[in-house]
């Protein structure tokens, strides 16, 4: 007799949410976690600490640059970095405790140690030189991802850092060189830039934020440059000389050509993440990986071995916490005999900078490539009343709709609170709604969300305030 109905390996947003849903469905569940704390990358070294520092550094920036024009006179703000790091840690601790509480509340056993799959129905859990084998009807692999490394450039998490080190620097670097203009580079670059660092971002491609709508990325780059970011696109860092007091990075054009050297106090390597399957014993157990090292799954999250499933960053798809969570819920429901499902066409993405960038559905490039006839409606925040009175007018809303049916296919926003605003578009798209539906939905005034309604009106060439 199996001891458990389900053992989940990993307690990131994929794993712990899966465990909670499975428990709600009446299963006897255990989670296995090798880290000292629950919550995975997201809670410990990802989403949550980065958002705490983004918030705190934004307040610092606002106090220094925006208060005076609103008639709020304060003396020049002083940075207390240890206190800011403490603020970040309190946020982490609070959320980790929240997950511990959820495990208790749902009567989920927490097995501390490294999980190894011995085959269908058997997981070995090892910690401090001791190990135990637990038996279970089902296993969910939710072991997440790890940082991708650059060949020949060793991350010491002090001067050459990954996102983990960049979340805990003990002083503001004079010069921060960032390798990779993706989400981490722009978010953590924003944190340290606001706190006083000079930021240069080196990106292999000829654009920032690959995967995001091209027009949005272009305008966002301009906004960041106005803030003081410097970009070197179509370039790569090939070496970092650590012998001197300051680091010397060798930068070459991506297409080849003469190299240049840039000095920096800290180099942040953020060129993507890779699935994490170390120590899981997948090869010996016979669980197949895809060519990119991700656990291979079918549309129902089942791996090549019966009763073993996988979700989150360790499988294909966007490496996002909410994607992992939704997969966690879906796989628990499937194991319980229900019809768990994730709609991969409606997974929002948010870059939590100032302004924020948010996106759901297809980009203009994707529609062009697919040969889909589409219409575009755009509305700038310069024409949105609330944004005008707050003097936060950077950015715009862009809606892409099917030219024949008017069904909304993609929504892309740059602007303050864009990460909160995107969800009305998600709900609309889940229901297969049209731009007309959005345009005829009453939006409270004055809100920034009115820009979404106006962009939807603009799809039909009838925006009112433009
Ligand atoms: P993880 O959160 O990586 O959790 C995996 C867990 O499994 C870990 O706790 C690990 O210790 C454990 N584990 C691994 N192997 C074993 C084993 N053999 N035995 C036991 N335990 C094991 N996403 C967003 O959606 N929004 C954001 O704002 C955001 N910000 C981010 C900022 C940063 C700096 C980073 C690095 C990532 C960010 N992400 C964000 C991505 C997000 O963190 C991941 O998509 C998410 O954590 C994936 O969840 P997961 O459950 O698949 O894996
Ligand atoms: P990313 O995939 O977003 O960006 C990596 C960037 O590095 C790309 O622009 C890529 O072209 C570039 N690059 C790759 N190799 C390079 C090289 N040798 N030299 C120069 N540039 C190079 O990855 P990132 O920023 O590391 O983030 C990892 C993951 O974490 C992402 O998948 C993201 O989804 C997730 N994340 C999500 C956040 C959010 O939702 N707000 C925040 C932070 C991370």
């Amino acid at each position: 007799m199996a001891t458990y109905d389900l053992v989940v390996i990993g307690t990131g947003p994929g794993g712990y949410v899966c465990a909670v849903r499975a428990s709600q469905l009446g299963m006897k569940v255990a989670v296995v976690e090798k880290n000292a704390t629950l919550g995975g990358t997201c809670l410990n070294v990802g989403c949550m600490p980065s958002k705490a520092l983004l918030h705190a550094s934004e307040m610092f920036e606002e106090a220094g640059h925006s208060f005076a024009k609103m008639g709020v006179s304060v003396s020049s703000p002083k940075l207390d970095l240890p206190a800011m790091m403490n603020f970040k840690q309190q946020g982490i601790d609070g959320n980790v405790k929240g997950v511990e509480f959820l495990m208790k509340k749902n009567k989920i056993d927490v097995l501390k140690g490294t999980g190894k799959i011995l085959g269908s129905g058997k997981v070995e859990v090892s910690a401090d030189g001791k190990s135990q084998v637990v038996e279970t009807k089902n296993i969910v692999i939710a072991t997440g991802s790890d940082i991708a490394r650059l060949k020949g450039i060793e991350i010491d998490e002090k001067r050459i850092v990954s996102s983990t080190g960049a979340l805990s620097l003990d002083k503001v670097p004079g010069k921060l060189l960032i390798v990779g203009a993706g989400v981490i580079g722009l978010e953590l670059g924003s944190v340290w830039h606001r706190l006083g660092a000079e930021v240069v971002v080196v990106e292999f491609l000829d654009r920032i934020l690959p995967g995001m709508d091209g027009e949005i990325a272009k305008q966002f780059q301009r906004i960041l440059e106005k803030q003081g970011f410097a970009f070197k696109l179509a370039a790569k860092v090939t070496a970092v000389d650590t012998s001197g007091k300051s680091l010397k990075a060798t930068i070459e054009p991506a297409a080849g050509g003469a190299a240049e050297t840039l000095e920096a106090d800290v180099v942040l390597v953020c060129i993507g993440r890779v699935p994490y399957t170390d120590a899981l014993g997948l090869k010996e157990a016979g669980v197949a990986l895809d060519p990119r090292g991700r656990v291979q799954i079918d549309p129902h999250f089942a791996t090549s071995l019966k009763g073993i499933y996988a979700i989150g960053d360790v499988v294909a798809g966007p490496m996002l916490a909410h994607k992992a969570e939704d997969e966690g819920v879906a796989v628990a429901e499937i194991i319980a005999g229900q019809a768990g499902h994730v709609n991969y066409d409606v997974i929002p993405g948010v870059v939590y900078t100032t302004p924020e960038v948010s996106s759901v559905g297809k980009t203009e490039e994707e529609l062009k490539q697919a040969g889909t006839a589409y219409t575009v409606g755009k509305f700038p925040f310069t024409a949105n009343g609330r944004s005008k009175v707050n003097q936060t007018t950077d950015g715009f809303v862009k809606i892409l709709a099917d030219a024949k049916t008017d069904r909304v296919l993609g929504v892309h926003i740059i602007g303050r609170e864009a990460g909160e605003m995107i969800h009305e578009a998600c709900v609309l798209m889940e229901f297969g709604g049209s731009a007309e539906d959005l345009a005829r939905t009453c939006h409270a005034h004055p809100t920034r969300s009115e820009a979404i309604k106006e962009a939807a009106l603009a799809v039909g060439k009838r925006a009112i305030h433009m």
Side-chain angles (χ1 to χ4, degrees):
M1 269 279 280
T3 315
Y4 292 103
D5 296 308
L6 174 64
V7 170
V8 183
I9 308 179
T11 62
Y16 86 75
V17 168
C18 174
V20 169
R21 184 70 189 118
S23 170
Q24 286 174 346
L25 291 165
M27 287 180 235
K28 185 161 166 43
V29 186
V31 290
V32 184
E33 176 55 61
K34 69 178 174 61
N35 273 1
T37 51
L38 305 182
T41 303
C42 176
L43 270 62
N44 294 283
V45 289
C47 325
M48 306 319 280
S50 59
K51 265 78 255 177
L53 290 183
L54 278 158
H55 177 66
S57 62
E58 188 181 8
M59 294 300 104
F60 179 76
E61 163 99 5
E62 295 264 294
H65 295 100
S66 304
F67 280 14
K69 72 176 178 193
M70 292 185 274
V72 182
S73 176
V74 291
S75 53
S76 191
K78 282 200 197 74
L79 176 65
D80 180 348
L81 191 57
M84 197 177 276
M85 289 296 165
N86 188 39
F87 172 76
K88 175 199 75 174
Q89 193 57 44
Q90 284 171 2
I92 296 174
D93 294 345
N95 279 303
V96 164
K97 280 202 186 86
V99 175
E100 286 167 5
F101 163 78
L102 289 175
M103 297 300 101
K104 275 200 193 97
K105 180 180 172 224
N106 290 284
K107 300 187 173 48
I108 295 162
D109 289 346
V110 176
L111 310 176
K112 286 282 173 79
T114 301
K116 181 177 176 186
I117 296 174
L118 302 179
S120 290
K122 276 199 171 62
V123 178
E124 182 186 69
V125 182
S126 309
D128 307 325
K130 289 189 206 123
S131 66
Q132 57 166 323
V133 175
V134 291
E135 300 206 339
T136 172
K137 287 182 193 150
N138 300 284
I139 298 168
V140 169
I141 301 168
T143 49
S145 60
D146 192 11
I147 50 178
R149 287 156 210 277
L150 262 177
K151 224 171 135 197
I153 299 176
E154 201 182 316
I155 290 173
D156 61 15
E157 296 297 13
K158 292 214 156 52
R159 292 207 295 166
I160 303 183
V161 297
S162 72
S163 52
T164 302
L167 288 166
S168 294
L169 297 178
D170 57 10
K171 62 174 194 279
V172 179
K175 286 187 183 166
L176 173 63
L177 178 72
I178 297 177
V179 191
V183 200
I184 291 180
L186 303 184
E187 286 188 356
L188 294 183
S190 290
V191 167
W192 293 107
H193 181 257
R194 291 167 188 164
L195 300 181
E198 198 181 299
V199 172
V200 179
V201 187
V202 178
E203 164 61 46
F204 187 78
L205 300 174
D206 60 1
R207 55 163 294 173
I208 68 167
L209 288 179
M212 284 267 187
D213 187 90
E215 186 183 9
I216 293 274
K218 209 175 256 170
Q219 171 140 359
F220 187 48
Q221 185 184 333
R222 273 191 226 120
I223 291 171
L224 289 173
E225 281 168 344
K226 217 167 69 189
Q227 290 176 7
F229 270 63
F231 288 98
K232 282 188 180 294
L233 303 183
K236 59 185 176 185
V237 174
T238 51
V240 180
D241 177 356
T242 57
S243 59
K245 203 163 168 259
S246 75
L247 302 167
K248 288 189 180 60
T250 308
I251 298 163
E252 289 177 21
E260 62 170 316
T261 306
L262 266 190
E263 290 201 20
D265 300 295
V266 172
V267 171
L268 163 59
V269 178
C270 45
I271 55 164
R273 294 181 63 85
V274 290
Y276 184 82
T277 55
D278 291 9
L280 267 178
L282 297 185
K283 201 166 171 206
E284 301 87 316
V287 175
L289 301 182
D290 73 10
R292 290 172 61 182
R294 303 171 294 200
V295 178
Q296 197 169 304
I297 50 167
D298 73 6
H300 306 292
F301 310 101
T303 70
S304 55
L305 216 60
K306 200 171 157 27
I308 303 182
Y309 303 81
I311 56 164
D313 279 12
V314 81
V315 302
M319 288 183 167
L320 295 172
H322 42 285
K323 176 259 193 188
E325 287 185 45
D326 284 10
E327 289 182 340
V329 168
V331 76
E333 292 176 349
I334 288 170
I335 292 170
Q338 299 185 354
H341 171 72
V342 176
N343 179 3
Y344 291 99
D345 289 334
V346 186
I347 294 185
V350 179
V351 188
Y352 296 86
T353 40
T354 305
E356 292 182 342
V357 181
S358 64
S359 164
V360 63
K362 301 283 184 242
T363 63
E364 208 168 337
E365 291 75 21
E366 285 171 334
L367 293 178
K368 277 194 186 123
Q369 204 180 7
T372 309
Y374 63 91
T375 42
V376 187
K378 285 188 253 182
F379 192 80
F381 285 106
T382 45
N384 170 265
R386 184 70 181 276
S387 306
K388 271 168 128 162
V389 295
N390 289 0
Q391 297 190 17
T392 52
T393 52
D394 271 342
F396 66 105
V397 177
K398 174 174 179 176
I399 296 182
L400 301 164
D402 188 293
K404 280 196 218 93
T405 65
D406 196 39
R407 184 179 176 145
V408 172
L409 303 173
V411 177
H412 309 278
I413 309 172
I414 304 181
R416 294 268 179 145
E417 291 119 40
E420 300 293 339
M421 288 168 63
I422 197 72
H423 297 103
E424 68 167 302
C426 298
V427 173
L428 179 95
M429 288 171 70
E430 276 292 347
F431 285 89
S434 64
E436 183 73 18
D437 290 327
L438 254 187
R440 290 200 181 273
T441 301
C442 187
H443 283 64
H445 176 76
T447 56
R448 301 178 60 81
S449 298
E450 285 174 288
I452 295 190
K453 176 182 172 154
E454 290 274 8
L457 283 164
V459 170
K461 303 202 174 9
R462 55 182 215 277
I464 300 290
H465 292 91
M466 197 174 54

